Amino acid sequence: KEKKNTTIEYWNSTGKWRKKYYSEIKKRDWTTLSDIEQMEYELDCAEYFTIKMFLESKEVFRVLDIGCGVGRQLLDLASLFPGIHFDGIDIAPLQIELLDCEIKSRCLKNIKAIAMNAADIAELNVQYDMIISCNNSLGCFSEEERSNCLKSMCKVLSTDGIFVIGNFERFDIADKCYTEWGMSLFSIDYSNRVVDLGPYKSTWLSSDMLERELYTYGLNHFYRYAAGLGSVCAFQKRGSYNEKIL
């Protein structure tokens, strides 16, 4: 419980910084961005346009954003697709408050921001046509949290539903990234591609590792677009999977 509270306190404390950081990267001239900022911006754009592509090409009514934070992708998507309902969840209440303020400022009626643990999303009792997780949010969970999240996610993802994930893969420059972001590294586990940052650990899986992991949860990989710090991958839920491990 103490560890969990420390983690929540950390994510709460970074909310305003994250809102400012992502907003400024989008506004600044490309030539003024550092190499790391350019790679993060490239992945950010790839996430947005990949999700937009699927929303335009498939029949989607409800979308869940796991680890939505301050709404980095969610706000613009909801503005663009007023006929689709978006739920955003995050463990940090203060980030959800910031998102709520922006939702009201933009007069958006199709977003609901919810402070909750990703392992508990089955309690929403809603079926989603698409679930997204951007900016390596899933990589910020512990191994147990990640497993519980994926199990719960498969309960609320509709049959043949799509899961889109933005994944950090450039583990070779992870230390450089965190230095630029002003974050101290406690240790680096090169075998498992995990960076210990103190308040939480960040896992940077290769696309092959991610594909193998999600397959065990009944998700088939069918799309990958490499960009910047990693890639955007899409998986589809296997229809017969529902009762296998849940």
Side-chain angles (χ1 to χ4, degrees), residues 167-194:
N167 185 50
F168 288 177
E169 295 183 26
R170 291 293 308 275
F171 192 67
D172 58 307
I173 59 169
D175 55 343
K176 182 179 179 181
C177 290
Y178 288 112
T179 297
E180 182 161 319
W181 296 330
M183 302 173 68
S184 301
L185 306 184
F186 279 59
S187 64
I188 300 180
D189 180 349
Y190 290 96
S191 298
N192 296 306
R193 298 169 66 94
V194 177

Side-chain angles (χ1 to χ4, degrees), residues 37-234:
E37 288 173 330
Q38 287 182 357
M39 286 190 285
E40 184 158 20
Y41 183 65
E42 286 175 359
L43 182 59
D44 181 274
C45 290
E47 289 172 344
Y48 177 79
F49 286 111
T50 296
I51 297 166
K52 178 175 176 288
M53 175 184 70
F54 286 127
L55 292 178
E56 290 174 336
S57 63
K58 297 184 178 294
E59 194 172 46
V60 175
F61 300 101
R62 298 190 73 99
V63 177
L64 174 67
D65 186 351
I66 296 176
C68 65
V70 294
R72 178 170 153 269
Q73 299 290 9
L74 202 57
L75 289 163
D76 290 341
L77 289 167
S79 297
L80 189 62
F81 297 96
I84 298 175
H85 180 82
F86 295 83
D87 285 333
I89 67 156
D90 200 280
I91 198 172
L94 290 184
Q95 293 207 39
I96 289 296
E97 285 183 23
L98 290 171
L99 174 55
D100 253 333
C101 289
E102 193 63 30
I103 290 171
K104 292 172 183 175
S105 175
R106 299 191 189 194
C107 298
L108 295 170
K109 305 298 183 182
N110 60 328
I111 300 183
K112 185 176 182 180
I114 307 166
M116 73 181 305
N117 191 308
D120 299 327
I121 55 178
E123 295 177 8
L124 294 172
N125 199 29
V126 175
Q127 287 287 294
Y128 295 96
D129 308 297
M130 182 184 294
I131 295 177
I132 64 176
S133 185
C134 300
N135 198 234
N136 206 48
S137 291
L138 196 62
C140 298
F141 299 170
S142 69
E143 187 175 348
E144 181 181 3
E145 291 168 339
R146 188 180 178 99
S147 176
N148 290 336
C149 171
L150 290 170
K151 288 177 182 178
S152 292
M153 187 187 81
C154 287
K155 292 180 181 179
V156 299
L157 184 61
S158 63
T159 301
D160 299 325
I162 294 174
F163 176 46
V164 179
I165 179 170
N167 185 50
F168 288 177
E169 295 183 26
R170 291 293 308 275
F171 192 67
D172 58 307
I173 59 169
D175 55 343
K176 182 179 179 181
C177 290
Y178 288 112
T179 297
E180 182 161 319
W181 296 330
M183 302 173 68
S184 301
L185 306 184
F186 279 59
S187 64
I188 300 180
D189 180 349
Y190 290 96
S191 298
N192 296 306
R193 298 169 66 94
V194 177
V195 180
D196 186 348
L197 299 157
Y200 73 100
K201 294 181 180 180
S202 182
T203 304
W204 295 38
L205 296 182
S206 68
S207 57
D208 288 343
M209 294 168 71
L210 181 67
E211 182 178 342
R212 288 194 298 270
E213 177 190 28
L214 295 189
Y215 183 83
T216 65
Y217 292 92
L219 298 164
N220 287 341
H221 178 260
F222 71 93
Y223 173 93
R224 177 177 182 266
Y225 185 86
L229 287 180
S231 67
V232 185
C233 296

